[in-house]
Short mmCIF file of all heavy atoms in Angstrom, two decimals:
data_model
loop_
_atom_site.label_atom_id
_atom_site.label_comp_id
_atom_site.label_asym_id
_atom_site.label_seq_id
_atom_site.Cartn_x
_atom_site.Cartn_y
_atom_site.Cartn_z
N LEU A 254 -1.03 11.25 -27.77
CA LEU A 254 -2.27 11.07 -28.50
C LEU A 254 -3.51 10.99 -27.66
O LEU A 254 -4.63 11.40 -27.97
CB LEU A 254 -2.26 9.90 -29.51
CG LEU A 254 -1.79 10.28 -30.95
CD1 LEU A 254 -0.44 10.89 -30.89
CD2 LEU A 254 -1.78 9.05 -31.85
N ILE A 255 -3.36 10.33 -26.48
CA ILE A 255 -4.55 10.23 -25.58
C ILE A 255 -5.06 11.55 -25.24
O ILE A 255 -6.31 11.72 -24.97
CB ILE A 255 -4.19 9.39 -24.42
CG1 ILE A 255 -5.46 8.91 -23.67
CG2 ILE A 255 -3.27 10.12 -23.42
CD1 ILE A 255 -5.29 7.96 -22.61
N ARG A 256 -4.25 12.60 -25.16
CA ARG A 256 -4.70 13.96 -24.82
C ARG A 256 -5.55 14.52 -25.93
O ARG A 256 -6.26 15.51 -25.62
CB ARG A 256 -3.54 14.88 -24.53
CG ARG A 256 -2.63 14.34 -23.38
CD ARG A 256 -3.20 14.80 -22.04
NE ARG A 256 -2.37 14.33 -20.93
CZ ARG A 256 -2.64 14.60 -19.69
NH1 ARG A 256 -3.63 15.46 -19.39
NH2 ARG A 256 -1.95 14.08 -18.70
N LEU A 257 -5.51 13.99 -27.11
CA LEU A 257 -6.38 14.46 -28.16
C LEU A 257 -7.81 13.78 -28.23
O LEU A 257 -8.62 14.30 -28.96
CB LEU A 257 -5.58 14.21 -29.56
CG LEU A 257 -4.28 14.87 -29.64
CD1 LEU A 257 -3.67 14.54 -30.98
CD2 LEU A 257 -4.36 16.37 -29.40
N VAL A 258 -7.97 12.69 -27.50
CA VAL A 258 -9.20 11.97 -27.62
C VAL A 258 -9.97 11.85 -26.28
O VAL A 258 -11.17 11.40 -26.30
CB VAL A 258 -9.01 10.54 -28.22
CG1 VAL A 258 -8.38 10.65 -29.58
CG2 VAL A 258 -8.08 9.70 -27.30
N VAL A 259 -9.27 12.13 -25.18
CA VAL A 259 -9.90 11.90 -23.86
C VAL A 259 -9.78 13.22 -22.99
O VAL A 259 -8.66 13.88 -23.00
CB VAL A 259 -9.26 10.82 -23.08
CG1 VAL A 259 -9.89 10.64 -21.70
CG2 VAL A 259 -9.45 9.45 -23.85
N PRO A 260 -10.85 13.69 -22.40
CA PRO A 260 -10.66 14.90 -21.51
C PRO A 260 -9.64 14.67 -20.37
O PRO A 260 -9.52 13.52 -19.89
CB PRO A 260 -12.07 15.04 -20.91
CG PRO A 260 -13.02 14.31 -21.84
CD PRO A 260 -12.20 13.19 -22.40
N ALA A 261 -8.95 15.63 -19.97
CA ALA A 261 -7.85 15.53 -19.03
C ALA A 261 -8.38 14.91 -17.69
O ALA A 261 -7.62 14.09 -17.02
CB ALA A 261 -7.23 16.85 -18.74
N GLU A 262 -9.62 15.24 -17.29
CA GLU A 262 -10.18 14.62 -16.03
C GLU A 262 -10.38 13.20 -16.09
O GLU A 262 -10.60 12.57 -15.05
CB GLU A 262 -11.39 15.50 -15.64
CG GLU A 262 -12.52 15.38 -16.61
CD GLU A 262 -12.51 16.56 -17.59
OE1 GLU A 262 -11.43 17.15 -17.78
OE2 GLU A 262 -13.57 16.75 -18.14
N GLU A 263 -10.30 12.67 -17.25
CA GLU A 263 -10.56 11.11 -17.35
C GLU A 263 -9.22 10.39 -17.47
O GLU A 263 -9.22 9.16 -17.70
CB GLU A 263 -11.49 10.77 -18.51
CG GLU A 263 -12.90 11.31 -18.33
CD GLU A 263 -13.80 10.96 -19.57
OE1 GLU A 263 -13.46 10.00 -20.29
OE2 GLU A 263 -14.87 11.64 -19.80
N ILE A 264 -8.15 11.08 -17.40
CA ILE A 264 -6.78 10.43 -17.51
C ILE A 264 -6.21 10.42 -16.11
O ILE A 264 -6.01 11.42 -15.46
CB ILE A 264 -5.88 11.26 -18.46
CG1 ILE A 264 -6.47 11.20 -19.87
CG2 ILE A 264 -4.52 10.62 -18.44
CD1 ILE A 264 -5.70 12.04 -20.82
N GLU A 265 -5.89 9.23 -15.57
CA GLU A 265 -5.09 9.01 -14.38
C GLU A 265 -3.72 8.89 -14.83
O GLU A 265 -3.31 7.83 -15.40
CB GLU A 265 -5.58 7.76 -13.63
CG GLU A 265 -6.88 7.95 -12.95
CD GLU A 265 -6.81 8.72 -11.58
OE1 GLU A 265 -5.65 8.92 -11.15
OE2 GLU A 265 -7.81 9.08 -11.04
N SER A 266 -2.88 9.97 -14.64
CA SER A 266 -1.50 9.90 -15.11
C SER A 266 -0.52 9.10 -14.29
O SER A 266 0.39 9.58 -13.61
CB SER A 266 -1.04 11.33 -15.22
OG SER A 266 0.25 11.36 -15.85
N ARG A 267 -0.82 7.80 -14.27
CA ARG A 267 0.00 6.87 -13.51
C ARG A 267 -0.16 5.50 -14.15
O ARG A 267 -1.20 5.26 -14.80
CB ARG A 267 -0.28 6.80 -12.02
CG ARG A 267 -1.58 6.12 -11.66
CD ARG A 267 -1.75 6.08 -10.13
NE ARG A 267 -2.89 5.34 -9.60
CZ ARG A 267 -2.93 4.10 -9.28
NH1 ARG A 267 -1.73 3.36 -9.28
NH2 ARG A 267 -3.98 3.49 -8.88
N THR A 268 0.83 4.62 -13.96
CA THR A 268 0.65 3.29 -14.42
C THR A 268 0.15 2.34 -13.36
O THR A 268 0.36 2.63 -12.12
CB THR A 268 2.00 2.69 -14.90
OG1 THR A 268 1.93 1.36 -15.39
CG2 THR A 268 3.09 2.82 -13.81
N LEU A 269 -0.53 1.35 -13.74
CA LEU A 269 -1.02 0.25 -12.75
C LEU A 269 -0.04 -0.85 -12.61
O LEU A 269 -0.29 -1.84 -11.87
CB LEU A 269 -2.37 -0.25 -13.18
CG LEU A 269 -3.51 0.79 -13.22
CD1 LEU A 269 -4.82 0.13 -13.79
CD2 LEU A 269 -3.82 1.30 -11.76
N THR A 270 1.12 -0.71 -13.26
CA THR A 270 2.19 -1.70 -13.13
C THR A 270 3.33 -1.16 -12.34
O THR A 270 3.84 -0.12 -12.56
CB THR A 270 2.74 -2.06 -14.55
OG1 THR A 270 1.68 -2.61 -15.40
CG2 THR A 270 3.92 -3.05 -14.46
N PHE A 271 3.62 -1.87 -11.26
CA PHE A 271 4.57 -1.47 -10.26
C PHE A 271 5.99 -1.73 -10.81
O PHE A 271 6.37 -2.86 -11.02
CB PHE A 271 4.37 -2.21 -8.96
CG PHE A 271 5.37 -1.90 -7.88
CD1 PHE A 271 5.47 -0.51 -7.51
CD2 PHE A 271 6.01 -2.85 -7.16
CE1 PHE A 271 6.39 -0.22 -6.47
CE2 PHE A 271 6.93 -2.49 -6.15
CZ PHE A 271 7.06 -1.15 -5.79
N LEU A 272 6.82 -0.63 -10.96
CA LEU A 272 8.14 -0.87 -11.39
C LEU A 272 8.97 0.26 -10.75
O LEU A 272 8.43 1.46 -10.51
CB LEU A 272 8.30 -0.70 -12.85
CG LEU A 272 7.96 0.58 -13.58
CD1 LEU A 272 8.57 0.58 -15.05
CD2 LEU A 272 6.45 0.73 -13.83
N MET A 273 10.17 0.06 -10.34
CA MET A 273 11.07 1.06 -9.69
C MET A 273 12.34 1.08 -10.42
O MET A 273 12.80 0.05 -11.00
CB MET A 273 11.18 0.71 -8.21
CG MET A 273 9.93 0.81 -7.43
SD MET A 273 10.31 0.85 -5.63
CE MET A 273 11.03 -0.70 -5.38
N PHE A 274 13.03 2.23 -10.42
CA PHE A 274 14.30 2.38 -11.03
C PHE A 274 15.29 2.78 -9.98
O PHE A 274 14.97 3.53 -9.00
CB PHE A 274 14.29 3.47 -12.16
CG PHE A 274 13.48 2.92 -13.34
CD1 PHE A 274 12.10 3.11 -13.41
CD2 PHE A 274 14.12 2.36 -14.38
CE1 PHE A 274 11.38 2.70 -14.45
CE2 PHE A 274 13.45 1.91 -15.50
CZ PHE A 274 12.03 2.13 -15.57
N THR A 275 16.56 2.28 -10.13
CA THR A 275 17.61 2.73 -9.19
C THR A 275 17.96 4.19 -9.56
O THR A 275 17.56 4.73 -10.51
CB THR A 275 18.85 1.89 -9.37
OG1 THR A 275 19.41 2.11 -10.70
CG2 THR A 275 18.51 0.36 -9.28
N ASP A 276 18.80 4.77 -8.68
CA ASP A 276 19.22 6.17 -8.91
C ASP A 276 20.21 6.19 -10.14
O ASP A 276 20.65 7.30 -10.45
CB ASP A 276 19.91 6.77 -7.73
CG ASP A 276 21.02 5.97 -7.10
OD1 ASP A 276 21.15 4.74 -7.51
OD2 ASP A 276 21.69 6.42 -6.11
N TYR A 277 20.55 5.09 -10.69
CA TYR A 277 21.30 5.07 -11.93
C TYR A 277 20.40 4.72 -13.14
O TYR A 277 20.87 4.48 -14.24
CB TYR A 277 22.51 4.08 -11.87
CG TYR A 277 23.64 4.56 -11.16
CD1 TYR A 277 23.63 4.75 -9.75
CD2 TYR A 277 24.73 5.07 -11.82
CE1 TYR A 277 24.74 5.32 -9.18
CE2 TYR A 277 25.85 5.54 -11.20
CZ TYR A 277 25.89 5.65 -9.84
OH TYR A 277 27.00 6.20 -9.19
N GLY A 278 19.09 4.78 -13.00
CA GLY A 278 18.23 4.66 -14.11
C GLY A 278 17.99 3.28 -14.53
O GLY A 278 17.39 3.03 -15.63
N MET A 279 18.39 2.26 -13.79
CA MET A 279 18.17 0.84 -14.18
C MET A 279 17.00 0.28 -13.49
O MET A 279 16.73 0.59 -12.27
CB MET A 279 19.44 0.05 -13.88
CG MET A 279 20.69 0.55 -14.57
SD MET A 279 20.49 0.64 -16.38
CE MET A 279 20.19 -1.06 -16.80
N PRO A 280 16.16 -0.56 -14.16
CA PRO A 280 15.05 -1.17 -13.49
C PRO A 280 15.39 -2.09 -12.37
O PRO A 280 16.33 -2.85 -12.43
CB PRO A 280 14.32 -1.92 -14.58
CG PRO A 280 15.40 -2.16 -15.66
CD PRO A 280 16.37 -0.96 -15.61
N LEU A 281 14.61 -2.01 -11.23
CA LEU A 281 14.92 -2.87 -10.13
C LEU A 281 14.20 -4.21 -10.39
O LEU A 281 13.13 -4.32 -10.91
CB LEU A 281 14.25 -2.22 -8.87
CG LEU A 281 14.66 -2.94 -7.59
CD1 LEU A 281 16.07 -2.80 -7.18
CD2 LEU A 281 13.73 -2.37 -6.46
N VAL A 282 14.95 -5.31 -10.13
CA VAL A 282 14.42 -6.67 -10.38
C VAL A 282 13.99 -7.20 -9.02
O VAL A 282 14.56 -7.04 -7.98
CB VAL A 282 15.59 -7.56 -10.89
CG1 VAL A 282 15.04 -9.02 -11.11
CG2 VAL A 282 16.06 -6.94 -12.28
N PHE A 283 12.82 -7.95 -9.11
CA PHE A 283 12.20 -8.54 -7.87
C PHE A 283 12.50 -10.07 -7.80
O PHE A 283 12.47 -10.75 -8.83
CB PHE A 283 10.67 -8.23 -7.95
CG PHE A 283 10.33 -6.83 -7.92
CD1 PHE A 283 9.71 -6.18 -9.00
CD2 PHE A 283 10.65 -6.05 -6.88
CE1 PHE A 283 9.45 -4.85 -9.06
CE2 PHE A 283 10.31 -4.67 -6.79
CZ PHE A 283 9.66 -4.05 -7.97
N TYR A 284 12.77 -10.44 -6.56
CA TYR A 284 13.15 -11.86 -6.31
C TYR A 284 12.15 -12.47 -5.34
O TYR A 284 11.12 -11.91 -4.93
CB TYR A 284 14.61 -11.90 -5.75
CG TYR A 284 15.58 -11.36 -6.83
CD1 TYR A 284 16.01 -10.12 -6.80
CD2 TYR A 284 16.05 -12.31 -7.81
CE1 TYR A 284 16.89 -9.65 -7.81
CE2 TYR A 284 16.95 -11.88 -8.71
CZ TYR A 284 17.34 -10.57 -8.76
OH TYR A 284 18.24 -10.12 -9.67
N ASN A 285 12.48 -13.75 -4.91
CA ASN A 285 11.59 -14.54 -4.13
C ASN A 285 11.10 -13.81 -2.83
O ASN A 285 9.96 -13.97 -2.39
CB ASN A 285 12.20 -15.91 -3.77
CG ASN A 285 12.35 -16.83 -4.96
OD1 ASN A 285 11.55 -16.67 -5.94
ND2 ASN A 285 13.29 -17.63 -5.00
N ASP A 286 12.07 -13.07 -2.18
CA ASP A 286 11.67 -12.46 -0.89
C ASP A 286 10.93 -11.15 -1.06
O ASP A 286 10.74 -10.41 0.00
CB ASP A 286 12.95 -12.24 -0.11
CG ASP A 286 14.07 -11.42 -0.81
OD1 ASP A 286 13.84 -11.13 -1.96
OD2 ASP A 286 14.98 -11.06 -0.19
N HIS A 287 10.51 -10.80 -2.22
CA HIS A 287 9.76 -9.57 -2.44
C HIS A 287 8.23 -9.79 -2.40
O HIS A 287 7.49 -8.83 -2.65
CB HIS A 287 10.19 -8.92 -3.76
CG HIS A 287 11.53 -8.23 -3.67
ND1 HIS A 287 12.47 -8.48 -4.61
CD2 HIS A 287 12.05 -7.37 -2.79
CE1 HIS A 287 13.60 -7.82 -4.26
NE2 HIS A 287 13.34 -7.11 -3.19
N TYR A 288 7.79 -11.05 -2.23
CA TYR A 288 6.33 -11.32 -2.41
C TYR A 288 5.44 -10.41 -1.44
O TYR A 288 4.52 -9.78 -2.00
CB TYR A 288 6.06 -12.80 -2.04
CG TYR A 288 4.61 -13.15 -2.08
CD1 TYR A 288 3.97 -13.50 -3.26
CD2 TYR A 288 3.84 -13.24 -0.83
CE1 TYR A 288 2.67 -13.87 -3.27
CE2 TYR A 288 2.55 -13.54 -0.91
CZ TYR A 288 1.91 -13.90 -2.12
OH TYR A 288 0.61 -14.19 -2.18
N ASP A 289 5.75 -10.38 -0.20
CA ASP A 289 4.88 -9.61 0.76
C ASP A 289 4.89 -8.11 0.39
O ASP A 289 3.82 -7.49 0.49
CB ASP A 289 5.31 -9.82 2.16
CG ASP A 289 5.08 -11.25 2.66
OD1 ASP A 289 4.03 -11.85 2.22
OD2 ASP A 289 5.96 -11.84 3.39
N MET A 290 6.02 -7.57 0.03
CA MET A 290 6.14 -6.21 -0.29
C MET A 290 5.32 -5.87 -1.56
O MET A 290 4.58 -4.91 -1.63
CB MET A 290 7.56 -5.75 -0.51
CG MET A 290 7.77 -4.31 -0.77
SD MET A 290 7.66 -3.87 -2.61
CE MET A 290 9.30 -4.39 -3.08
N LEU A 291 5.40 -6.76 -2.55
CA LEU A 291 4.68 -6.56 -3.82
C LEU A 291 3.20 -6.57 -3.73
O LEU A 291 2.54 -5.66 -4.27
CB LEU A 291 5.15 -7.62 -4.89
CG LEU A 291 6.59 -7.55 -5.43
CD1 LEU A 291 6.90 -8.72 -6.30
CD2 LEU A 291 6.76 -6.19 -6.15
N ILE A 292 2.60 -7.54 -3.02
CA ILE A 292 1.14 -7.63 -3.01
C ILE A 292 0.52 -6.57 -2.21
O ILE A 292 -0.72 -6.26 -2.35
CB ILE A 292 0.75 -9.01 -2.47
CG1 ILE A 292 1.05 -9.16 -0.95
CG2 ILE A 292 1.24 -10.15 -3.29
CD1 ILE A 292 0.49 -10.41 -0.39
N ASN A 293 1.34 -5.77 -1.42
CA ASN A 293 0.75 -4.72 -0.62
C ASN A 293 0.82 -3.33 -1.34
O ASN A 293 0.44 -2.31 -0.80
CB ASN A 293 1.50 -4.56 0.71
CG ASN A 293 1.15 -5.71 1.66
OD1 ASN A 293 0.03 -6.31 1.58
ND2 ASN A 293 2.07 -6.05 2.58
N GLN A 294 1.42 -3.34 -2.55
CA GLN A 294 1.47 -2.08 -3.29
C GLN A 294 0.15 -1.75 -4.01
O GLN A 294 -0.68 -2.59 -4.34
CB GLN A 294 2.61 -2.18 -4.34
CG GLN A 294 4.04 -2.53 -3.76
CD GLN A 294 4.30 -1.63 -2.62
OE1 GLN A 294 4.26 -0.39 -2.66
NE2 GLN A 294 4.72 -2.25 -1.46
N ASN A 295 -0.07 -0.43 -4.20
CA ASN A 295 -1.29 -0.04 -4.87
C ASN A 295 -1.15 -0.10 -6.37
O ASN A 295 -1.36 0.90 -7.09
CB ASN A 295 -1.58 1.38 -4.44
CG ASN A 295 -2.97 1.89 -4.85
OD1 ASN A 295 -3.87 1.06 -4.99
ND2 ASN A 295 -3.22 3.13 -4.91
N PHE A 296 -0.88 -1.32 -6.80
CA PHE A 296 -0.74 -1.60 -8.30
C PHE A 296 -1.35 -2.97 -8.56
O PHE A 296 -1.63 -3.77 -7.61
CB PHE A 296 0.72 -1.62 -8.64
CG PHE A 296 1.38 -0.26 -8.57
CD1 PHE A 296 1.97 0.10 -7.30
CD2 PHE A 296 1.49 0.61 -9.63
CE1 PHE A 296 2.56 1.37 -7.19
CE2 PHE A 296 2.07 1.82 -9.45
CZ PHE A 296 2.67 2.20 -8.28
N LEU A 297 -1.61 -3.24 -9.83
CA LEU A 297 -2.17 -4.54 -10.15
C LEU A 297 -1.20 -5.53 -10.70
O LEU A 297 -1.39 -6.74 -10.56
CB LEU A 297 -3.21 -4.26 -11.28
CG LEU A 297 -4.30 -3.22 -10.99
CD1 LEU A 297 -5.36 -3.15 -12.13
CD2 LEU A 297 -4.97 -3.61 -9.63
#
């Protein structure tokens, strides 16, 4: 629906939420030792 109300040039086709999936399609879970890696990602 967003394509019906907003010009394509105003749509950044990416999420600002950092999530990764394994090669089996399952979401990767983050633990205590992931802090430094997480804050350096280009996500909010």
Side-chain angles (χ1 to χ4, degrees):
L254 266 57
I255 193 171
R256 297 282 175 174
L257 302 179
V258 299
V259 176
E262 58 268 22
E263 294 183 21
I264 299 174
E265 287 281 346
S266 186
R267 73 178 184 96
T268 177
L269 295 174
T270 299
F271 181 52
L272 65 161
M273 294 196 297
F274 290 86
T275 69
D276 52 351
Y277 276 76
M279 300 305 298
L281 188 68
V282 179
F283 299 113
Y284 295 94
N285 290 332
D286 57 352
H287 287 127
Y288 175 84
D289 292 322
M290 185 270 283
L291 287 175
I292 66 171
N293 288 332
Q294 303 310 308
N295 191 23
F296 295 87
L297 306 182

